[in-house]
Amino acid sequence: MSKLLIIHTGGTIAMEEDKDSGAVSPGKNNPLNTTLNQLLTGDDVLIDDFINIPSPHMTPEMMFAIAERIETKIKEEPIRGIVITHGTDTLEETAYLLDLVLQTDLPVVVTGAMRSSNELGSDGPYNLLSSIKVASCQEAKGKGVLVVLNDEIHTAKNVTKTHTSNVSTFQSPQYGPIGIVTKQRVFFHHTLTVRDRYHISGLTKKVMLLKAYAGMDSKLLIAVAELGIDGIVIEALGQGNLPPDMMDGIKHLRAKGIAIVMVSRCFNGIVQDVYGYKGGGKHLKEQGVIFSNGLNGQKARLKLLVTLEATEDDSELHNFFLR
């Protein structure tokens, strides 16, 4: 009999609020396991208390370790689906990195909560139940890593946290959810046309993320070039433009062979090489800057970490970021 694999990593969904101080923090025992005992039989679920950390403590190396753990578990025994519980601050990053590197087509669902387990209106148990429904659903196979909260199903590629505290914080700008969860069943109404994934053995590169602002110059770019980085992602202005005083820094990075990926600090639209002035998109493209196809900064950083393991060829990297 196949089992549902539940991997706990911590986060608010596994925390409790101290009624005296109001502080929310991890406890000795994960309250989600009590919930799971009420929802599933012991023969039906495999619970893996992998780590119990706040999501700001999550690293790409830990994310990759989760992927390795999943691949190992599904080789050891029959698994029909995977649910990962996670803190919301970096949930979208873990989901996206898993989407890039996992080779399985089994349903993989990442979920979390905005309210801790003992707060009034806690959303954790309900999100967990919804995620179990999706991970057990045949239609979820082959759709990549999914993020399920607040009755909605989102792709790891497009979802992002949009509000600091609201329970409907996870949205997919431009695209919306690809499905919904009801009391009776799971409904998918569209899906991504391409699954973008890479077979790598680890994460060894260093990639930084910077955000452009009006009047920015080259000082930060020249400084980070001396830190031994392999790549940098810049959240640019508008459609992919930078202040002109940044161009010396861009040329300095490229002369050192450092890959530069451009995204927009806007959360809708994609970057394009439209403008021909100094610092404009066409000027940046001529310098070998890679334009991403709609990813936000934090996800573009993860993709560059992954793709640099696969190749350091500029033309291949350009093609990877068009997907």
Side-chain angles (χ1 to χ4, degrees):
M1 178 176 166
S2 63
K3 294 185 177 182
L4 187 69
L5 173 62
I6 312 284
I7 300 178
H8 294 314
T9 69
T12 300
I13 192 171
M15 294 183 187
E16 295 182 348
E17 180 186 60
D18 183 277
K19 293 307 180 183
D20 294 324
S21 67
V24 175
S25 57
K28 290 183 179 179
N29 300 311
N30 191 331
L32 288 174
N33 289 334
T34 301
T35 304
L36 285 167
N37 289 334
Q38 297 168 348
L39 296 175
L40 300 166
T41 66
D43 294 334
D44 195 41
V45 64
L46 179 61
I47 298 175
D48 183 1
D49 287 300
F50 179 42
I51 48 178
N52 187 13
I53 60 171
S55 63
H57 296 191
M58 185 63 69
T59 67
E61 290 73 24
M62 291 178 184
M63 299 172 193
F64 193 79
I66 296 170
E68 291 182 312
R69 205 168 184 88
I70 291 171
E71 298 285 6
T72 298
K73 293 287 186 183
I74 62 180
K75 290 175 183 175
E76 291 176 345
E77 56 185 300
I79 300 292
R80 70 174 185 274
I82 300 101
V83 173
I84 301 158
T85 63
H86 198 289
T88 59
D89 284 353
T90 57
L91 186 151
E92 66 188 87
E93 290 172 78
T94 294
Y96 185 57
L97 188 132
L98 293 176
D99 194 51
L100 289 173
V101 303
L102 279 174
Q103 302 303 306
T104 182
D105 284 326
L106 288 173
V108 178
V109 178
V110 187
T111 193
M114 296 302 292
R115 297 172 184 153
S116 59
S117 62
N118 62 339
E119 286 185 66
L120 186 64
S122 173
D123 51 329
Y126 191 83
N127 286 338
L128 180 59
L129 175 60
S130 296
S131 298
I132 289 170
K133 288 180 180 179
V134 175
S136 303
C137 172
Q138 286 290 320
E139 290 91 337
K141 287 185 176 180
K143 287 185 167 57
V145 176
L146 303 172
V147 172
V148 174
L149 292 99
N150 204 38
D151 287 332
E152 294 181 340
I153 308 168
H154 295 264
T155 65
K157 180 179 181 181
N158 294 325
V159 75
T160 191
K161 187 175 182 179
T162 65
H163 194 284
T164 58
S165 58
N166 196 296
V167 293
S168 63
T169 179
F170 282 93
Q171 305 291 331
S172 294
Q174 299 190 95
Y175 307 105
I178 65 166
I180 59 172
V181 184
T182 70
K183 290 183 181 296
Q184 285 78 32
R185 57 167 293 188
V186 174
F187 291 91
F188 286 97
H189 44 71
H190 67 273
T191 189
L192 289 176
T193 55
V194 177
R195 172 94 188 265
D196 187 20
R197 54 183 166 182
Y198 304 86
H199 196 286
I200 61 172
S201 58
L203 298 173
T204 63
K205 306 298 183 180
K206 292 173 65 177
V207 176
M208 297 193 72
L209 170 63
L210 289 179
K211 188 168 189 169
Y213 53 84
M216 190 173 183
D217 59 25
S218 292
K219 292 186 183 69
L220 277 176
L221 298 178
I222 291 171
V224 299
E226 307 310 314
L227 298 178
I229 63 170
D230 302 286
I232 186 168
V233 174
I234 301 175
E235 290 189 9
L237 313 176
Q239 291 190 66
N241 311 302
L242 294 176
D245 285 347
M246 290 183 70
M247 290 312 301
D248 286 344
I250 295 292
K251 293 174 182 177
H252 183 70
L253 289 168
R254 292 300 299 140
K256 284 182 165 288
I258 296 170
I260 305 173
V261 171
M262 194 72 61
V263 302
S264 178
R265 67 182 196 179
C266 304
F267 61 85
N268 281 316
I270 63 173
V271 287
Q272 302 177 83
D273 55 329
V274 173
Y275 292 99
Y277 52 73
K278 185 179 181 181
K282 285 193 177 297
H283 191 197
L284 292 164
K285 198 75 170 283
E286 292 168 0
Q287 305 302 318
V289 172
I290 299 165
F291 281 60
S292 179
N293 191 13
L295 291 175
N296 62 25
Q298 56 268 33
K299 289 181 184 176
R301 174 182 173 266
L302 290 172
K303 184 163 184 177
L304 189 54
L305 275 172
V306 169
T307 54
L308 282 172
E309 298 291 342
T311 185
E312 293 185 6
D313 180 79
D314 280 351
S315 61
E316 284 191 84
L317 288 173
H318 276 275
N319 289 332
F320 288 157
F321 275 88
L322 289 176
R323 298 176 184 174

